[in-house]
Amino acid sequence: MKPAKPQSTTMDEQTFVPPTMRALYFSPASTAVTDHTSMDEPRTDSHVKFDTDFQTPIPSGNDYLVKVQAAAFSHDELRLSNILNPSKSIPQIPLHSFCGTVISTPEKDHWNPDGPKFKVDDAVFGLIKHTRDGAAADYVIVSEDELAYKPKNISAAEAATIPMPALTAWEALFKYAGLDTADVKQGRQQLRVLITNARNNEIATQALQLLRSHKLFPHSRPWICATCDAEDQEDYLRKEYDVDATIYAPLPLPHDYDLGSIFRKNRWDPVDVVLDCAGQEMFEQAHSPKVIKEHGAVLTAVDSTPAEARDPLDDDEPRKDGVLSRFILVSPNGEALSRISELVEADEVRGRVESIKDLVDGTDVLSSGAAGAGGGRRGGMMVIRVN
């Protein structure tokens, strides 16, 4: 559906938007007993449905309406969103990493005197807050800080796979680990990083690409050690991402596995940052003083334990041993995503499409039990093709 007047900035003049749309959504679980519910009736869990007559969202005066081309998800995203975001009492549309076309813009934009940043018919990609409906539908409402221009050199499907994992990796390095982009570019920081489960996790893959970006690290090449759960992956990591060292770490870890002993045996100095994409025992072993420097950062993208055990808003201080131990709570960041888009167009960052399914087949993909079951041990992003 082409917009009627691309030069316009008021929704009613821009395009005709149908009142209903196709959408995948998770039905709410039966958690409450009502007058119509028998105490003997079993509790039903939330399950995914496909609807061809779902109400099209109506944007507020500060939001954009985007026609979705593709939306993507990883196993971990679904698993962690279920743990960290309580289910709503209304249907919830999943898949928060997406690519699409702007259909309508904010009617009023007090921040930009020349009108909204994104115009009708602009190709965009982005990450939507997980407390809002996602993009497994024909249309989605987004705010400006959730968007960036889609890179011109990749498909919509590949673009949809990038926002969530790339922003998670970006925030791990430049927010949680506290790297200063100016210091990094001028070579004032000699960075040492350990990335676990580096071959099979998309956040790890994006982190490897960022760390090997000449635009981000033009004068100081970070030292990277990567763990992998199959010995034949070591050559791949060295050739594809030029990692400096690899460690074989089968998952789940054997009971006698000792990451600290491996560092000591190889006479490696402790690292500044650990980006954990394996979780559980690997995340715990990464806190060894043989692995992480004093005042370093051990960050996990897959193990929700730190987030569940502590209030994330009050846990910004390092632990008593000087090590910051955190779960990465990724959030939309339009400015960072714009930087990532530039790296994509410079061929320094790419997405990874594991599979592509049409929206109508999405119930099979999301209901199969495979989505989320593998956790961080399975790689790639699965794409739902919408329009």
Side-chain angles (χ1 to χ4, degrees):
M1 183 183 302
K2 295 292 289 182
K5 296 181 179 180
Q7 74 279 8
S8 174
T9 59
T10 57
M11 178 180 170
D12 56 349
E13 293 179 349
Q14 283 176 29
T15 184
F16 168 76
V17 178
T20 61
M21 64 179 183
R22 300 174 305 151
L24 290 170
Y25 68 93
F26 285 104
S27 63
S30 59
T31 56
V33 176
T34 67
D35 294 338
H36 305 288
T37 304
S38 169
M39 292 293 291
D40 297 327
E41 290 181 7
R43 178 189 181 278
T44 59
D45 291 327
S46 174
H47 57 283
V48 66
K49 294 182 178 181
F50 176 71
D51 192 349
T52 59
D53 201 29
F54 201 92
Q55 183 176 349
T56 302
I58 300 175
S60 69
N62 296 318
D63 290 326
Y64 292 83
L65 184 67
V66 173
K67 187 171 186 178
V68 181
Q69 290 180 278
F73 69 95
S74 68
H75 299 281
D76 274 317
E77 179 189 7
L78 295 183
R79 177 177 61 84
L80 290 168
S81 64
N82 288 336
I83 294 172
L84 300 175
N85 296 296
S87 60
K88 295 182 178 180
S89 59
I90 59 174
Q92 186 171 17
I93 299 174
L95 311 194
H96 292 72
S97 190
F98 76 100
C99 178
T101 304
V102 174
I103 293 296
S104 74
T105 61
E107 296 178 14
K108 297 178 181 179
D109 193 320
H110 302 290
W111 303 103
N112 297 314
D114 297 328
K117 176 180 178 180
F118 302 99
K119 311 300 181 184
V120 170
D121 220 20
D122 279 347
V124 294
F125 73 146
L127 177 68
I128 307 165
K129 295 179 181 70
H130 278 80
T131 54
R132 299 171 54 175
D133 273 333
D138 285 318
Y139 298 94
V140 67
I141 290 176
V142 293
S143 59
E144 191 159 292
D145 64 345
E146 296 170 327
L147 291 176
Y149 292 110
K150 169 190 169 292
K152 298 178 181 178
N153 59 331
I154 60 174
S155 67
E158 184 179 348
T161 69
I162 293 174
M164 190 282 293
L167 280 175
T168 304
W170 183 280
E171 293 207 346
L173 296 173
F174 297 108
K175 177 183 176 181
Y176 289 92
L179 299 185
D180 186 284
T181 52
D183 286 346
V184 165
K185 283 188 175 182
Q186 296 175 27
R188 292 199 293 263
Q189 281 183 278
Q190 186 63 46
L191 184 64
R192 294 175 61 82
V193 181
L194 169 66
I195 300 178
T196 67
N197 197 26
R199 177 66 178 91
N200 290 335
N201 183 275
E202 194 60 17
I203 294 170
T205 298
Q206 291 293 338
L208 289 170
Q209 293 182 96
L210 294 179
L211 290 167
R212 285 294 175 252
S213 165
H214 294 291
K215 287 183 173 293
L216 293 178
F217 300 89
H219 304 298
S220 179
R221 180 182 182 276
W223 184 87
I224 303 175
C225 179
T227 77
C228 52
D229 66 355
E231 293 177 338
D232 60 355
Q233 296 173 359
E234 297 184 30
D235 286 341
Y236 172 84
L237 291 170
R238 290 180 182 274
K239 293 176 181 177
E240 189 72 17
Y241 302 109
D242 195 23
V243 301
D244 299 279
T246 58
I247 299 174
Y248 173 53
L251 297 176
L253 292 180
H255 72 278
D256 58 347
Y257 194 88
D258 191 333
L259 184 62
S261 294
I262 295 174
F263 263 69
R264 182 176 58 187
K265 180 180 178 180
N266 286 280
R267 298 182 179 179
W268 294 331
D269 291 332
V271 298
D272 302 281
V273 181
V274 174
L275 176 55
D276 167 55
C277 297
Q280 299 176 346
E281 185 63 26
M282 181 65 81
F283 174 58
E284 292 300 322
Q285 291 198 22
H287 291 80
S288 166
K290 301 181 184 69
V291 176
I292 187 70
K293 287 181 179 178
E294 188 177 349
H295 304 297
V298 179
L299 310 170
T300 179
V302 299
D303 194 333
S304 61
T305 304
E308 293 175 86
R310 309 169 193 161
D311 182 350
L313 297 178
D314 297 328
D315 190 33
D316 291 327
E317 293 300 321
R319 304 190 320 172
K320 290 182 179 179
D321 58 7
V323 173
L324 179 67
S325 178
R326 286 293 304 273
F327 171 76
I328 305 165
L329 289 168
V330 65
S331 56
N333 186 333
E335 182 179 350
L337 192 58
S338 294
R339 297 281 304 279
I340 292 167
S341 180
E342 294 172 2
L343 297 178
V344 174
E345 294 190 338
D347 290 322
E348 292 192 338
V349 168
R350 297 302 297 261
R352 181 167 55 153
V353 178
E354 179 75 13
S355 64
I356 300 179
K357 297 286 186 180
D358 288 324
L359 183 67
V360 68
D361 300 319
T363 51
D364 295 333
V365 177
L366 296 175
S367 300
S368 65
R377 298 171 190 168
R378 300 183 60 177
M381 297 283 286
M382 281 131 286
V383 175
I384 298 294
R385 180 169 44 208
V386 182
N387 291 298

